[in-house]
Amino acid sequence: MSTLTTRDVVVVGAGVVGLSVAWRASTRYGLAVTVVDPAPGRGASHAAAGMLTPVSELQYGEESLLELNTESARRYPAFAAELADASGLPSGYRTCGTLAVALDADDRAVLKDLHAYQERLGLSSSRLTSRECRRLEPMLSPAITGGLHVDDDHQIDNRRLVAALLAACERAGVTFVRERVERILVTDDRAHGVRLANGRDLSADQVLLAAGCRSALIPGLPPEVVPPVRPVKGEILRLRVPPVMAPFLSRNVRGVVKGGSMYLVPRADGELVIGATEYERGHDTETTAGGVYELLRDAHELVPGVTELPLVETLAGLRPGSPDNAPIVGRSSLAGLVVATGHYRHGILLTPITADTVAEVLALGTTPEIIRPFGPDRFETVAREVMA
Ligand SMILES: Cc1cc2nc3c(=O)[nH]c(=O)nc-3n(C[C@H](O)[C@H](O)[C@H](O)COP(=O)(O)OP(=O)(O)OC[C@H]3O[C@@H](n4cnc5c(N)ncnc54)[C@H](O)[C@@H]3O)c2cc1C
């Protein structure tokens, strides 16, 4: 079995997480990085909607995650501009704001409670009447009973983001190996490289595990350091707004429809993304008629005109979910292994902060304060206790 050249870092997985860290580690710190992935950029990062909505998607009890999310959103404009410059491609970042709307009294009560919670946390949002919502977005149904406007929640076209990250990595001299990692190589309590599906070994000083929802499935690691990620399926639709119907929507629209939440994300180029279902069904990525039906039914309730638009794509992706819905980022207790996975519903939002902080961990060995609560050690202790 031959061993390829030793590199500073080998990154397992080329989604937004692996790519953005590879780019930062290479350009900011001069590390020699190799990224291994049989299909770069085609995982959850390809399926996603690209909403950057820490305030509108606030969940009760997730205050520490909120801080990470809002800090990443704050870094986005500079990150996107630097990426566009480095790649020569548009980043797809769009400042547009987000309007959450309600249909019936129960849905309106959900938004009212959310607004009160946002205010308690010092976040900026404003409640709107039905008429005010429709003044902002004339295509909304007259049945809308009210809404919540968040001026600072934006979006990025995640496919443009991935394309720009790939180009920026290539320009920065990151090496790509289009192979599957079959095993992480560990000897004498140290991760020192990976074995590829073609039988070759690639050695490195450090391994970054960033394989999204498959991060727990790659053999070789001691059980206690395997990050507990699982796939959370999401179906999503892409429609096209013909120029005569533009602008169909001007900002992200989130809806609470009979207790469930869904969204419509209008791109500057006329694409309209509608998402997303959420199921726990293992690694199944089949798009179901029921999922597409539900999304179109709810979207039609909020914005009746959607059913006139061409349906361009239906797709299912797998979010990398973690036990507490927060990412798992930082140095593991296994020497040589750094982890960046479990970003669940917010991996696109968390791209800038993940890139900055994990690149620092790899290059300097220091863990920035803001990611300390999200280290792999919070699950390693539990795993050790279970195994004892
Ligand atoms: C329907 C849907 C909508 C979403 N909407 C949003 C949104 O609006 N905003 C937001 O912030 N987030 C959203 N997300 C979440 C976001 O997409 C993810 O959190 C993010 O893409 C995770 O990035 P990643 O790089 O960890 O994983 P991925 O993008 O899945 O990348 C993992 C990579 O690892 C590779 N890999 C796996 N196994 C191996 C192996 N053995 N060897 C080598 N490579 C391997 C895969 O090929 C893949 O390319 C959404 C997700 C879905 C599914």
Side-chain angles (χ1 to χ4, degrees):
M1 205 146 331
S2 61
T3 297
L4 304 182
T5 344
T6 295
R7 307 283 288 183
D8 291 334
V9 183
V10 61
V11 177
V12 184
V16 286
V17 171
L19 289 172
S20 62
V21 176
W23 175 51
R24 271 286 186 255
S26 159
T27 52
R28 185 169 286 174
Y29 299 104
L31 294 184
V33 183
T34 294
V35 178
V36 186
D37 193 320
R42 302 294 295 185
S45 305
H46 180 72
M51 281 190 305
L52 310 176
T53 49
V55 177
S56 345
E57 284 197 75
L58 177 63
Q59 305 278 322
Y60 297 97
E62 291 187 356
E63 286 85 356
S64 63
L65 180 57
L66 171 73
E67 193 190 333
L68 193 71
N69 286 345
T70 47
E71 177 56 22
S72 199
R74 194 189 66 73
R75 293 184 190 197
Y76 239 110
F79 176 87
E82 192 185 335
L83 180 61
D85 200 38
S87 64
L89 294 172
S91 72
Y93 182 66
R94 184 180 188 199
T95 52
C96 59
T98 296
L99 177 63
V101 295
L103 274 171
D104 60 21
D106 288 346
D107 302 338
R108 211 167 59 244
V110 172
L111 288 187
K112 185 172 171 231
D113 289 349
L114 179 62
H115 178 63
Y117 186 40
Q118 289 165 343
E119 283 202 316
R120 278 203 302 284
L121 295 175
L123 302 167
S124 163
S125 66
S126 36
R127 287 183 71 197
L128 302 184
T129 63
S130 162
R131 183 172 303 188
E132 287 166 334
C133 290
R134 296 191 67 225
R135 203 173 297 135
L136 285 182
E137 294 294 348
M139 296 303 284
L140 284 172
S141 162
I144 296 297
T145 55
L148 195 55
H149 187 227
V150 180
D151 221 13
D152 294 332
D153 274 0
H154 304 305
Q155 60 157 289
I156 191 159
D157 181 333
N158 43 294
R159 293 180 180 181
R160 289 185 195 269
L161 171 66
V162 166
L165 283 169
L166 281 166
C169 280
E170 300 233 359
R171 281 188 174 186
V174 170
T175 304
F176 282 90
V177 177
R178 285 175 169 74
E179 278 288 342
R180 183 171 54 81
V181 168
E182 196 171 83
R183 168 170 213 92
I184 295 175
L185 299 172
V186 178
T187 309
D188 297 333
D189 295 327
R190 176 168 197 99
H192 58 87
V194 296
R195 174 151 307 152
L196 307 178
N198 65 10
R200 299 186 85 190
D201 288 352
L202 179 56
S203 70
D205 296 335
Q206 299 184 82
V207 175
L208 174 67
L209 178 55
C213 71
R214 303 193 74 82
S215 298
L217 299 180
I218 302 174
L221 295 176
E224 69 277 8
V225 302
V226 173
V229 284
R230 63 184 200 286
V232 183
K233 180 177 173 178
E235 288 154 315
I236 193 156
L237 316 176
R238 284 176 160 79
L239 290 74
R240 179 143 300 282
V241 177
V244 288
M245 291 175 78
F248 189 77
L249 293 173
S250 309
R251 51 184 60 66
N252 305 329
V253 171
R254 292 187 60 80
V256 186
V257 184
K258 300 186 177 57
S261 78
M262 54 98 53
Y263 50 75
L264 300 95
V265 183
R267 303 275 189 240
D269 65 2
E271 184 176 78
L272 180 67
V273 183
I274 299 181
T277 58
E278 194 155 334
Y279 319 95
E280 308 244 353
R281 297 219 178 122
H283 289 267
D284 159 42
T285 50
E286 204 106 62
T287 314
T288 63
V292 175
Y293 166 73
E294 257 176 52
L295 289 170
L296 285 176
R297 180 197 62 200
D298 292 351
H300 178 257
E301 285 223 41
L302 299 176
V303 185
V306 289
T307 47
E308 289 171 36
L309 303 178
L311 176 60
V312 178
E313 183 186 296
T314 63
L315 185 69
L318 299 173
R319 308 169 182 92
S322 75
D324 57 7
N325 297 339
I328 306 170
V329 281
R331 185 166 296 289
S332 84
S333 65
L334 178 70
L337 180 72
V338 175
V339 175
T341 186
H343 290 68
Y344 189 34
R345 283 184 285 110
H346 295 305
I348 308 296
L349 168 62
L350 288 170
T351 295
I353 193 100
T354 303
D356 289 348
T357 56
V358 177
E360 181 179 326
V361 171
L362 288 166
L364 307 180
T366 48
T367 301
E369 195 58 44
I370 191 156
I371 57 163
R372 292 232 164 117
F374 305 103
D377 52 336
R378 74 192 192 277
F379 299 117
E380 289 176 14
T381 317
V382 177
R384 267 196 200 93
E385 280 166 10
V386 170
M387 284 183 289

